[in-house]
Amino acid sequence: AQSVTQPDIHITVSEGASLELRCNYSYGATPYLFWYVQSPGQGLQLLLKYFSGDTLVQGIKGFEAEFKRSQSSFNLRKPSVHWSDAAEYFCAVGGGYQKVTFGTGTKLQVIP
Amino acid sequence: GAVVSQHPSWVICKSGTSVKIECRSLDFQATTMFWYRQFPKQSLMLMATSNEGSKATYEQGVEKDKFLINHASLTLSTLTVTSAHPEDSSFYICSAGLTGTHTEAFFGQGTRLTVV
């Protein structure tokens, strides 16, 4: 069965600092990997996705993620965090056809 | 990208009543849609897969008689929470995607259900 682990429940960073959110997955075949962001009371917005090819993927809002098959990881990064990035971030894995399994989420707090 | 619209955004209902939530794909056809539930401060859990023209497939532990899913057209799936109770209060969100592999799901805005 597929699963996703986000080991950090809550992360606090200073505005302008770099950010890395960790994600480890378990999947029997080549995974489709996603990062979503959710603001309080809102739906999900796709930040980026990996299907195949270049293991470093660029997303919206200056985010990027790197797929490392050997480590079963898909960590999300941003070089300089903005206050508006405060939200909950979900890593997800799927096998295509849009059905995904979500991690437990990491809540990001940004301090001035 | 493709747009998925969910309605209503929030609803309050009395215990024992039923509530219907709609999920529409606005600019594409979706033979398959998915329904997720998110309890406060928790992740999203897949409830069921909605298949156009056939019965939905429910995940283990989800009561199909309580959460009725109808996918009568290629652009609309509905989730009806029957005989709602306070423990059904949650954030429900649907998704749909374009046909084929190498595509991602597009999510609706979600519906906040509060049962009083």
Side-chain angles (χ1 to χ4, degrees):
Chain A
Q2 59 198 52
S3 65
V4 179
T5 301
Q6 292 181 249
D8 304 306
I9 297 173
H10 194 141
I11 282 185
T12 300
V13 299
S14 299
E15 191 169 15
S18 63
L19 171 71
E20 182 170 28
L21 301 182
R22 296 182 292 166
C23 172
N24 292 95
Y25 68 89
S26 174
Y27 193 75
T30 300
Y32 291 11
L33 294 161
F34 311 88
W35 274 100
Y36 290 91
V37 60
Q38 184 182 36
S39 296
Q42 301 297 310
L44 296 171
Q45 182 180 27
L46 179 68
L47 287 176
L48 46 78
K49 62 191 177 190
Y50 171 79
F51 290 150
S52 64
D54 193 343
T55 56
L56 183 63
V57 294
Q58 303 296 321
I60 61 172
K61 303 183 178 184
F63 286 94
E64 67 176 27
E66 186 171 12
F67 170 58
K68 293 185 177 180
R69 185 187 298 275
S70 62
Q71 299 177 19
S72 297
S73 69
F74 189 58
N75 294 347
L76 181 71
R77 300 193 293 253
K78 186 170 185 178
S80 178
V81 171
H82 188 262
W83 64 266
S84 60
D85 293 325
E88 185 129 27
Y89 292 78
F90 292 96
C91 182
V93 63
Y97 302 106
Q98 305 99 34
K99 176 177 169 180
V100 295
T101 298
F102 289 89
T104 49
T106 298
K107 187 171 184 179
L108 174 64
Q109 182 180 7
V110 181
I111 57 177
Chain B
V3 178
V4 174
S5 178
Q6 196 171 333
H7 178 82
S9 298
W10 59 270
V11 58
I12 301 173
C13 71
K14 291 185 177 180
S15 190
T17 62
S18 295
V19 174
K20 180 184 286 188
I21 303 170
E22 293 185 347
C23 180
R24 293 181 184 273
S25 55
L26 296 188
D27 49 1
F28 67 101
Q29 294 181 331
T31 55
T32 304
M33 293 184 176
F34 302 92
W35 287 96
Y36 296 82
R37 179 170 56 187
Q38 183 181 32
F39 290 109
K41 302 186 187 301
Q42 295 188 28
S43 187
L44 296 92
M45 301 298 294
L46 180 66
M47 297 176 65
T49 302
S50 172
N51 304 298
E52 187 267 335
S54 65
K55 292 182 179 180
T57 304
Y58 291 82
E59 295 299 302
Q60 191 173 9
V62 177
E63 300 175 61
K64 59 183 180 182
D65 293 331
K66 180 168 189 62
F67 298 100
L68 300 180
I69 291 174
N70 184 277
H71 195 153
S73 77
L74 287 171
T75 59
L76 174 64
S77 174
T78 60
L79 168 69
T80 301
V81 183
T82 62
S83 187
H85 288 95
E87 56 266 32
D88 299 324
S89 299
S90 188
F91 188 67
Y92 294 87
I93 192 165
C94 69
S95 74
L98 302 172
T99 303
T101 56
H102 285 69
T103 63
E104 74 271 19
F106 298 93
F107 286 83
Q109 310 95 311
T111 298
R112 173 75 57 194
L113 170 63
T114 302
V115 184
V116 298

